[in-house]
Amino acid sequence: MTKFEELHKLKDLMEKDDTLPLKKGANKLVFGSGNTEAKILLIGEGPGFNEDAQGLPFVGQAGKLLDKLLELAGLERRKVFITNIVHHRPPNNRDPIPNEIESYGKYLDQIIKIISPKIIITLGRFSMAKFLPNIYISDVHGKKFEINWSGQKLIVVPMYHPAASLRNGKILEAEKQDFINLGKVLKSVK
Ligand code: URA
């Protein structure tokens, strides 16, 4: 089976899973989108209003900013795969809670296994905490971490969430610089 086929199979399973805690209040599952052969996986927090309506990640204002940030790193959406920590919209866009992160995490682990990326870019503190627990994003944003994930070596680069940059000009400037630096990291990894 190709990665594309494996991901489709997983998406079908997820769509049928009525135990997923945020499913009831959501319109669509936001499984993820992009290049299934990507070496770079981006993980956000959870779907917002627009993502919930379209079933696709980062299609609202934060997504438009993300496209510009990717460009600063010399990347395009069609070269990466994008998913989230939770795949249904939390009510009123509240933060996901631990049992929700755990429930969706079983599927996210499968997505990571299938894509098998070389680099994971986390967007915001919730996805950062999956790989780099007990640290503050303000201390480590834009830095490159080499971790061991299920027996595989993996590079994780924690970035601020683009929605935080939309709210705060200082964070936006830091995030722009982090994505410019990411371009250099990517060249050294290729
Ligand atoms: N914010 C996220 O974290 N994920 C999305 O898909 C959209 C906005």
Side-chain angles (χ1 to χ4, degrees), residues 120-140:
I120 292 185
I121 298 166
T122 60
L123 301 168
R125 64 197 162 98
F126 291 99
S127 56
M128 178 189 76
K130 182 173 176 73
F131 307 96
L132 307 167
N134 306 318
I135 51 173
Y136 290 106
I137 195 161
S138 51
D139 291 338
V140 295

Side-chain angles (χ1 to χ4, degrees), residues 63-122:
K64 289 202 178 86
L65 174 57
L66 180 60
D67 286 339
K68 289 185 190 148
L69 292 166
L70 287 173
E71 217 175 288
L72 292 178
L75 286 171
E76 296 167 66
R77 268 208 201 208
R78 63 183 181 86
K79 289 190 185 160
V80 301
F81 195 86
I82 307 180
T83 187
N84 281 308
I85 278 286
V86 297
H87 305 80
H88 287 117
R89 184 190 184 200
N92 304 314
N93 297 341
R94 65 154 169 75
D95 289 346
I97 57 177
N99 87 295
E100 293 163 355
I101 293 174
E102 198 186 322
S103 300
Y104 290 88
K106 289 174 216 134
Y107 289 99
L108 178 55
D109 288 343
Q110 290 300 310
I111 294 174
I112 296 169
K113 198 169 163 199
I114 295 167
I115 297 270
S116 179
K118 281 197 172 138
I119 302 177
I120 292 185
I121 298 166
T122 60

Side-chain angles (χ1 to χ4, degrees), residues 44-48 51 57-58 84 161:
E45 185 178 311
E51 291 77 20
F58 285 97
N84 281 308
H161 196 289

Side-chain angles (χ1 to χ4, degrees), residues 143-161:
K143 291 192 178 143
K144 173 181 143 186
F145 290 83
E146 292 182 6
I147 65 159
N148 197 305
W149 187 255
S150 303
Q152 301 287 325
K153 273 194 187 158
L154 197 59
I155 290 172
V156 174
V157 184
M159 296 291 193
Y160 281 118
H161 196 289

Side-chain angles (χ1 to χ4, degrees), residues 3-84:
K3 289 184 182 185
F4 180 84
E5 288 163 341
E6 279 189 75
L7 288 166
H8 264 272
K9 207 173 144 197
L10 185 64
K11 185 180 176 195
D12 285 346
L13 279 177
M14 231 179 151
E15 260 163 352
K16 288 181 194 129
D17 186 349
D18 292 331
T19 69
L20 286 171
L22 295 165
K23 183 175 181 175
K24 257 193 185 164
N27 283 306
K28 287 196 174 172
L29 174 78
V30 180
F31 178 80
S33 74
N35 186 340
T36 55
E37 297 294 328
K39 292 283 161 266
I40 302 168
L41 175 66
L42 278 84
I43 307 177
E45 185 178 311
F49 178 87
N50 293 294
E51 291 77 20
D52 177 62
Q54 294 185 39
L56 292 167
F58 285 97
V59 288
Q61 284 303 106
K64 289 202 178 86
L65 174 57
L66 180 60
D67 286 339
K68 289 185 190 148
L69 292 166
L70 287 173
E71 217 175 288
L72 292 178
L75 286 171
E76 296 167 66
R77 268 208 201 208
R78 63 183 181 86
K79 289 190 185 160
V80 301
F81 195 86
I82 307 180
T83 187
N84 281 308

